[in-house]
Amino acid sequence: GAGVSQSPRYKVAKRGQDVALRCDPISGHVSLFWYQQALGQGPEFLTYFQNEAQLDKSGLPSDRFFAERPEGSVSTLKIQRTQQEDSAVYLCASSYSRQGAGELFFGEGSRLTVL
Amino acid sequence: GENVEQHPSTLSVQEGDSAVIKCTYSDSASNYFPWYKQELGKRPQLIIDIRSNVGEKKDQRIAVTLNKTAKHFSLHITETQPEDSAVYFCAASRNYGGSQGNLIFGKGTKLSVKP
């Protein structure tokens, strides 16, 4: 596709439910990042993939958060037993750069609201 | 790890005036400094970036300066226009050898340009 695609754009979950957020990066982009953006804040790093390898997951806030990119393209961020503090926009970004320090192309984000 | 501080958090200018946003970073190994613009409800988009081997970069009305010794970098927008109104984020990352460089973002500056 022309850009990074994320789905769903909006998700409302009841506290305790599991959610799965999908990211379809730009074709050929090696690096993929997940960020969490709370209202009025900057994006906070969650995790980074280089192809299918998850090279850095230091930003995942708890073991309820899990991300995968099994075939090195589409990625899924899963949040188990959602809590109210998980409410945020989850941004996915991809980059052609193998080193990860090139221009990041962001998706529109998935806005998660936990009631 | 890296920490990026950004100020001011809000900035209001008259159309045609200049706007300056400043950021400091903590990791002296950081060597890539992009600026992203995020309009309300939209994805962040790269507007300009600078690497540590240069001190200044300009693109039409936008310029970025970098002071490696002081570990700070600034965004300058001249002849501001109403369409420049948005939230601007600075970021920093490092990239060396085989190590990836995830971007660490500042908290953002909400720029309002009044007609």
Side-chain angles (χ1 to χ4, degrees):
Chain A
V4 178
S5 178
Q6 291 188 244
S7 62
R9 288 293 316 280
Y10 303 92
K11 176 69 178 179
V12 178
K14 292 183 179 179
R15 189 161 58 93
Q17 282 185 330
D18 297 348
V19 299
L21 308 176
R22 175 190 168 105
C23 173
D24 203 336
I26 293 173
S27 178
H29 277 197
V30 171
S31 297
L32 185 146
F33 299 81
W34 283 98
Y35 284 85
Q36 180 190 60
Q37 187 174 26
L39 190 64
Q41 300 294 314
E44 297 266 354
F45 170 76
L46 293 177
T47 187
Y48 161 66
F49 290 86
Q50 186 181 105
N51 294 309
E52 70 279 2
Q54 189 174 19
L55 298 187
D56 189 344
K57 55 181 181 179
S58 62
L60 296 177
S62 77
D63 58 8
R64 296 186 296 105
F65 286 71
F66 173 77
E68 61 183 3
R69 193 186 185 197
E71 297 180 358
S73 56
V74 172
S75 178
T76 303
L77 176 66
K78 298 179 179 178
I79 309 173
Q80 297 177 321
R81 305 181 303 281
T82 53
Q83 304 294 316
Q84 285 189 323
E85 61 262 29
D86 300 336
S87 296
V89 175
Y90 290 85
L91 293 166
C92 175
S94 69
S95 168
Y96 178 77
S97 168
R98 184 170 299 276
Q99 297 293 342
E103 178 178 358
L104 293 191
F105 293 85
F106 282 88
E108 295 278 9
S110 291
R111 181 178 296 276
L112 173 64
T113 302
V114 182
L115 303 177
Chain B
E2 175 64 278
N3 182 51
V4 177
E5 299 285 340
Q6 181 173 349
H7 57 93
S9 57
T10 60
L11 179 59
S12 182
V13 300
Q14 287 295 132
E15 182 177 1
D17 287 350
S18 294
V20 180
I21 303 171
K22 299 182 179 181
C23 288
T24 60
Y25 60 99
S26 61
D27 187 350
S28 57
S30 289
N31 56 9
Y32 176 63
F33 308 93
W35 287 87
Y36 282 79
K37 175 182 180 182
Q38 188 176 30
E39 297 177 359
L40 189 63
K42 302 289 187 181
R43 71 188 78 194
Q45 291 191 297
L46 180 72
I47 56 171
I48 194 167
D49 57 12
I50 191 168
R51 296 186 186 272
S52 60
N53 56 346
V54 298
E56 183 174 0
K57 184 176 178 180
K58 191 171 182 180
D59 182 3
Q60 299 183 341
R61 297 186 297 109
I62 296 173
V64 58
T65 59
L66 170 65
N67 183 326
K68 286 190 295 183
T69 303
K71 290 190 284 188
H72 68 67
F73 56 112
S74 300
L75 177 71
H76 305 252
I77 306 174
T78 58
E79 300 170 29
T80 53
Q81 301 167 3
E83 52 265 37
D84 294 330
S85 296
V87 179
Y88 291 80
F89 294 98
C90 63
S93 75
R94 60 178 179 173
N95 170 23
Y96 59 90
S99 175
Q100 81 286 353
N102 51 285
L103 287 178
I104 304 301
F105 285 84
K107 293 190 181 301
T109 296
K110 183 177 181 181
L111 174 64
S112 300
V113 180
K114 298 181 179 179

